[in-house]
Amino acid sequence: MHMTHEPSSTAPSTSTAGVDSREFVKTLNPAPATSARRDAILANPGFGQYFTDHMIQIQWTGNIEQGTGQWQQPTLVPYGPLALDPAAAVLHYGQEIFEGLKAYRHDDGSVWTFRPEKNAARLNRSAERMALPALPEDLFLDSLRTLVEQDRDWVPDGEGQSLYLRPFMIANETFLGVRPSREVLYSVIASPAGNYFGEAKAVDIWLSEHWARAGRGGTGAAKCGGNYAASLIAQMEGDAHGCQQVIFTDPDRDEAIEELGGMNVFFVFDDGTLVTPELTGTILEGVTRDSIIQLAKDRGMTVEERAFTLEEWRDGVASGKLTEVFACGTAAVISPVGRLISAQETIGPEDAEPGEVTMSLRKELLDIQTGRGEDRHGWLTRLA
Ligand SMILES: *Cc1c(COP(=O)(O)O)cnc(C)c1O
C-alpha cells in the first residue's frame, strides 16, 4: 500500500463578509505601454518576460489556526514592484503557492480560458497544504476576468500564442516567528506567451538519480515555489548533460516514474493503451493531464493511471511496444519526449520524431483551447 495524501478536511473557510461588494476597486496605470511598444512585445513575447499594465491584489487578514479571516477589498492596480518588509514571512519560510493558466483569443476576438475552476480548486488544495487561506472560487474567477478585461489588448492572436495568467498567494506578515502568517496577499499577473517550446520538437530528459523534488508526506501535490526550488539542482545537472528537462522517480517504489520538474508524463503503447503515473501525493495533479486522460478515453483508448517503473520504460522501448512518450502542462501543452538519459544509459533513439498520438492529442487540445474544435466537455470559460 502506498500512502495517499488526500486532504483530511477542507481548508479553513474564510468568509468574505468584510467585502461589501465583489466590485474590484480599480486604479488604472497612468503610464501604460504604448500600442507600438505592446505590438513589438506581442510580435515575439517569449515566455514570462513581459507583463501587462495591471495586476490584481487582494489582501487577507486572519488566523488560520483559529479558522478565522477575511479577504479585503479586491483591487486592480498598475503592474509594479511589491512593497514587502524584509521580515515578511514568505521571504524566510517559503509560505507561497501559485497557479498557471492561459487566456486564448478566438477568431471573433473574444477571450477564453480553459477549465479555470480546476485551477481555483487546486489553488485551495495547495493553500490547505501550505497553511494559507482558501480563496472563494468565484473570487478567483472574478480576479481573472477583471484583469483580462482591463488588459485585453495584451492577449495575442498569433498561432500558438496566449496570455499566461499567474495567480499566486504569499505570506506577507512582518513576523519572524514560525507559524502560519496572519497576513496574506493574493495577486494575479499576466504575461503574453509565444509557443513555449517553439516547434513541437522532441526533448531529451535527464533522469534525476540523486535529487528528489518531493517526498512522501511532503508538498509534491501542492503547486508551491519550494518544489521548483528543489528541482533546480537536478535541472542544472540535466542541462550539463544536454537535456532540456529532468524527470524524477520514486526510489521506494522500484523507481516508479513521477513527473518532470513542472510537467506530467504519459506513455503510449502500440495496443492503444495510454499510461500515466497515478496520483500518489508526490505528483502534481495537472489540468492538462486530466484533460488528456478524458480526450484519450473519448477516442476509445485504454487509460491506465498506475505505477510505471523505469524498467517498464526500458523494456517497452526495447520490445517496441512503447511507441511514444510525452510530457504535458499548461505552459508547453504537450511536448514529445525523445530520449531518457542517465549516467548509466540512454533509452530511446537519438532522432525520434514526435509521435502520431502525441501530436494528434496536442492538436485536439489546442483546437479546443483556441476555439477551432468543438468544446464538447464545456471546458471553456469566457473572460472578455
Ligand atoms: C503546474 C504543474 C504541472 C502541470 O499542471 P497543469 O495544470 O497541466 O499546468 C505538472 N507538474 C508540476 C510539478 C506543476 O507544478
Side-chain angles (χ1 to χ4, degrees), residues 10 79 183 209 237 307:
T10 52
Y79 183 91
E183 301 278 339
E209 293 180 281
E237 198 180 78

PDB file of all heavy atoms in Angstrom, residues 10 79 183 209 237 307:
ATOM      1  N   THR A  10     -11.400  20.071   4.685  1.00  0.00           N
ATOM      2  CA  THR A  10     -11.294  21.161   3.730  1.00  0.00           C
ATOM      3  C   THR A  10     -10.475  22.283   4.355  1.00  0.00           C
ATOM      4  O   THR A  10     -10.322  22.347   5.559  1.00  0.00           O
ATOM      5  CB  THR A  10     -12.683  21.701   3.359  1.00  0.00           C
ATOM      6  OG1 THR A  10     -13.381  21.987   4.568  1.00  0.00           O
ATOM      7  CG2 THR A  10     -13.459  20.675   2.564  1.00  0.00           C
ATOM      8  N   TYR A  79       0.606  47.452 -12.708  1.00  0.00           N
ATOM      9  CA  TYR A  79       1.640  46.443 -12.505  1.00  0.00           C
ATOM     10  C   TYR A  79       2.883  47.113 -11.942  1.00  0.00           C
ATOM     11  O   TYR A  79       3.282  48.178 -12.409  1.00  0.00           O
ATOM     12  CB  TYR A  79       1.993  45.769 -13.844  1.00  0.00           C
ATOM     13  CG  TYR A  79       3.006  44.664 -13.671  1.00  0.00           C
ATOM     14  CD1 TYR A  79       2.585  43.365 -13.442  1.00  0.00           C
ATOM     15  CD2 TYR A  79       4.370  44.939 -13.685  1.00  0.00           C
ATOM     16  CE1 TYR A  79       3.510  42.341 -13.246  1.00  0.00           C
ATOM     17  CE2 TYR A  79       5.301  43.928 -13.481  1.00  0.00           C
ATOM     18  CZ  TYR A  79       4.861  42.642 -13.269  1.00  0.00           C
ATOM     19  OH  TYR A  79       5.781  41.643 -13.061  1.00  0.00           O
ATOM     20  N   GLU A 183      -1.202  37.549   7.682  1.00  0.00           N
ATOM     21  CA  GLU A 183      -1.432  38.453   6.553  1.00  0.00           C
ATOM     22  C   GLU A 183      -1.021  37.701   5.297  1.00  0.00           C
ATOM     23  O   GLU A 183       0.066  37.120   5.250  1.00  0.00           O
ATOM     24  CB  GLU A 183      -0.554  39.709   6.661  1.00  0.00           C
ATOM     25  CG  GLU A 183      -0.744  40.540   7.915  1.00  0.00           C
ATOM     26  CD  GLU A 183      -1.945  41.463   7.800  1.00  0.00           C
ATOM     27  OE1 GLU A 183      -2.364  41.745   6.654  1.00  0.00           O
ATOM     28  OE2 GLU A 183      -2.449  41.871   8.850  1.00  0.00           O
ATOM     29  N   GLU A 209      18.864  11.016 -10.429  1.00  0.00           N
ATOM     30  CA  GLU A 209      19.064   9.865  -9.539  1.00  0.00           C
ATOM     31  C   GLU A 209      19.420  10.275  -8.120  1.00  0.00           C
ATOM     32  O   GLU A 209      19.247   9.510  -7.193  1.00  0.00           O
ATOM     33  CB  GLU A 209      20.153   8.964 -10.121  1.00  0.00           C
ATOM     34  CG  GLU A 209      19.680   8.317 -11.423  1.00  0.00           C
ATOM     35  CD  GLU A 209      20.739   7.411 -12.021  1.00  0.00           C
ATOM     36  OE1 GLU A 209      21.674   7.931 -12.645  1.00  0.00           O
ATOM     37  OE2 GLU A 209      20.607   6.186 -11.859  1.00  0.00           O
ATOM     38  N   GLU A 237      21.841  19.758 -13.502  1.00  0.00           N
ATOM     39  CA  GLU A 237      22.572  18.534 -13.832  1.00  0.00           C
ATOM     40  C   GLU A 237      22.166  18.069 -15.229  1.00  0.00           C
ATOM     41  O   GLU A 237      23.008  17.673 -16.038  1.00  0.00           O
ATOM     42  CB  GLU A 237      22.208  17.469 -12.785  1.00  0.00           C
ATOM     43  CG  GLU A 237      23.143  16.305 -12.689  1.00  0.00           C
ATOM     44  CD  GLU A 237      22.665  15.334 -11.608  1.00  0.00           C
ATOM     45  OE1 GLU A 237      21.711  14.563 -11.866  1.00  0.00           O
ATOM     46  OE2 GLU A 237      23.219  15.371 -10.499  1.00  0.00           O
ATOM     47  N   ALA A 307       1.367   2.817 -11.225  1.00  0.00           N
ATOM     48  CA  ALA A 307       2.818   2.913 -11.116  1.00  0.00           C
ATOM     49  C   ALA A 307       3.431   2.433 -12.430  1.00  0.00           C
ATOM     50  O   ALA A 307       3.035   1.400 -12.975  1.00  0.00           O
ATOM     51  CB  ALA A 307       3.307   2.054  -9.953  1.00  0.00           C
TER      52      ALA A 307
END
